[in-house]
């Protein structure tokens, strides 16, 4: 692990502790997701080459968390980034960012948004039980999400060279950012107030199918060691990690060890002397 990545991990843990403080104070459910949960189980902390942290909250708790941050978050130190705080922020998950720091990533290089060091907190949404409603919910969300993040300037260099990207860019010009955000939000919430047995982390990086799992997995949670702290995760971690990664204890080949294509990190006042 490089010294820079170790510094990044330390600041992400600082952010995670702040999220944990608010959630435990107000009895909100929050769990580790994806590579963060895998890291807790396989490495007792960060996957050595990983460079972010992902958490999920049931939609009701997620909305409450956003509301509480307006009064319970140290705004001098932290910034909760949502699709309402930054016009060009297209996602339905939020980022808790560290003020006075900066991270440049290829995917978001052209987006004019707050760019402090961050962790991600995702809403976990109910999926419509009826097939037609489910189709509208997930396909509609997928369509408006892709129009939105391309319109807002997101995309790595390889994607931006593709013809499909350029065509979607042209198509997105027919809609305003606010309209696309409204429609994306409306689609993903179609499963609310219905008897759902499946949930989805809709803006996760593994795709809607892979990011869907039984709602019952969220019923029981427990704490797991993560570096020098403890974080919440699903009690049935084996089922979740098998669903996401198959043989999750097997290390992937080096060419499949993904990161966010960081270009530059400025640790600001947190830089180690």
């Amino acid at each position: 692990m490089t010294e820079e990545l170790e510094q990044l991990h330390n600041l992400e843990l600082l952010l995670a502790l702040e999220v944990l403080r608010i959630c435990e104070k107000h009895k909100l459910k929050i769990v580790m997701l994806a590579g963060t949960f895998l890291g807790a189980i396989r490495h007792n902390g960060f996957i050595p080459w990983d460079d972010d942290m992902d958490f999920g909250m049931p939609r009701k708790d997620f909305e409450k968390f956003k509301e509480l941050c307006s009064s319970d978050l140290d705004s001098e130190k932290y910034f909760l980034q949502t699709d309402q705080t930054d016009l060009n922020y297209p996602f339905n998950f939020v980022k808790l960012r560290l003020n006075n720091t900066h991270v440049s990533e290829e995917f978001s290089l052209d987006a004019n948004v707050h760019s402090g060091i961050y962790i991600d907190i995702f809403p976990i949404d109910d999926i419509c039980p009826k097939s037609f409603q489910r189709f509208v919910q997930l396909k509609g969300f997928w369509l408006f999400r892709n129009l939105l993040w391309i319109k807002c300037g997101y995309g790595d260099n390889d994607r931006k060279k593709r013809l499909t990207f350029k065509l979607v860019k042209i198509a997105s010009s027919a809609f305003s950012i606010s309209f696309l955000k409204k429609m994306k939000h409306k689609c993903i919430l179609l499963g609310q107030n219905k008897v759902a047995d499946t949930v989805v982390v809709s803006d996760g990086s593994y795709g809607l199918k892979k990011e869907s799992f039984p709602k019952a997995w969220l019923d029981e949670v427990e704490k797991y060691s993560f570096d020098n702290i403890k974080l919440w995760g699903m009690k049935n971690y084996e089922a979740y990690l098998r669903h996401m990664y198959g043989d999750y204890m097997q290390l992937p080949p080096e060419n499949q060890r993904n990161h966010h294509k960081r270009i530059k990190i400025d640790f600001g006042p947190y830089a180690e002397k």
Side-chain angles (χ1 to χ4, degrees), residues 65-113:
F65 173 78
K66 289 198 298 181
E67 179 184 328
L68 288 165
C69 281
S70 63
S71 59
D72 208 356
L73 192 68
D74 182 354
S75 60
E76 292 294 319
K77 190 172 185 179
Y78 304 106
F79 176 72
L80 187 74
Q81 185 175 49
T82 75
D83 63 358
Q84 298 302 305
T85 62
D86 294 65
L87 176 65
N88 286 342
Y89 182 79
F91 307 109
N92 72 349
F93 62 92
V94 301
K95 291 179 180 287
L96 184 64
R97 294 202 183 253
L98 195 59
N99 287 330
N100 303 310
T101 65
H102 175 78
V103 57
S104 296
E105 296 171 344
E106 186 179 302
F107 183 73
S108 57
L109 196 59
D110 294 335
N112 182 24
V113 296

Side-chain angles (χ1 to χ4, degrees), residues 34-53:
T36 303
F37 202 7
L38 175 60
I41 300 303
R42 194 172 68 194
H43 303 274
N44 293 313
F46 285 98
I47 297 172
W49 55 88
D50 201 5
D51 57 4
D52 75 341
M53 297 187 79

Side-chain angles (χ1 to χ4, degrees), residues 1-10 267 271-273:
M1 186 190 306
T2 66
E3 182 179 328
E4 181 182 72
L5 187 54
E6 184 176 1
Q7 288 186 59
L8 181 63
H9 285 172
N10 289 337
F267 293 100
E272 295 183 2
K273 305 300 183 183

Side-chain angles (χ1 to χ4, degrees), residues 64-186:
K64 185 66 174 177
F65 173 78
K66 289 198 298 181
E67 179 184 328
L68 288 165
C69 281
S70 63
S71 59
D72 208 356
L73 192 68
D74 182 354
S75 60
E76 292 294 319
K77 190 172 185 179
Y78 304 106
F79 176 72
L80 187 74
Q81 185 175 49
T82 75
D83 63 358
Q84 298 302 305
T85 62
D86 294 65
L87 176 65
N88 286 342
Y89 182 79
F91 307 109
N92 72 349
F93 62 92
V94 301
K95 291 179 180 287
L96 184 64
R97 294 202 183 253
L98 195 59
N99 287 330
N100 303 310
T101 65
H102 175 78
V103 57
S104 296
E105 296 171 344
E106 186 179 302
F107 183 73
S108 57
L109 196 59
D110 294 335
N112 182 24
V113 296
H114 190 298
S115 58
I117 290 168
Y118 65 89
I119 61 173
D120 295 330
I121 304 118
F122 293 81
I124 303 175
D125 288 302
D126 291 344
I127 294 179
C128 295
K130 294 184 178 180
S131 58
F132 178 72
Q133 292 176 331
R134 183 167 62 247
F135 177 85
V136 173
Q137 178 189 17
L138 299 181
K139 294 299 183 182
F141 174 84
W142 178 88
L143 173 64
F144 290 115
R145 178 189 64 181
N146 285 298
L147 284 168
L148 183 57
W149 64 255
I150 290 175
K151 184 178 181 68
C152 289
Y154 286 76
D156 57 37
N157 292 334
D158 289 338
R159 288 182 184 179
K160 289 178 179 178
K161 294 175 183 176
R162 298 173 190 169
L163 177 60
T164 51
F165 185 97
K166 295 175 182 178
L167 291 175
V168 173
K169 184 76 171 176
I170 294 171
S172 71
S173 64
F175 307 99
S176 69
I177 290 176
S178 60
F179 173 80
L180 292 174
K181 287 182 177 180
K182 179 181 178 180
M183 294 306 298
K184 177 174 66 77
H185 194 66
K186 183 176 289 189

Side-chain angles (χ1 to χ4, degrees), residues 12-32 53 55 57 65 69 72-73 78 96 119 121 222-224 226 228-233:
E12 288 171 344
L13 288 173
L14 178 69
L15 292 163
L17 283 172
E18 179 64 6
V19 172
L20 187 66
R21 179 189 68 80
I22 294 173
C23 289
E24 292 188 339
K25 177 180 177 181
H26 298 281
K27 296 180 171 57
L28 304 178
K29 181 174 286 187
I30 184 166
V31 294
M32 293 178 284
M53 297 187 79
F55 297 90
M57 305 178 72
F65 173 78
C69 281
D72 208 356
L73 192 68
Y78 304 106
L96 184 64
I119 61 173
I121 304 118
E222 63 181 53
K223 277 192 169 180
Y224 297 86
F226 195 98
N228 59 347
I229 66 175
K230 288 187 176 290
L231 298 171
W232 292 101

Side-chain angles (χ1 to χ4, degrees), residues 220-256:
E220 293 185 83
V221 298
E222 63 181 53
K223 277 192 169 180
Y224 297 86
S225 295
F226 195 98
D227 281 7
N228 59 347
I229 66 175
K230 288 187 176 290
L231 298 171
W232 292 101
M234 293 172 240
K235 187 172 183 178
N236 193 356
Y237 71 87
E238 290 185 273
Y240 173 77
L241 292 177
R242 279 199 305 268
H243 168 71
M244 293 294 289
Y245 302 104
D247 183 6
Y248 59 87
M249 295 302 288
Q250 180 69 37
L251 294 178
E254 288 194 23
N255 63 355
Q256 295 178 23

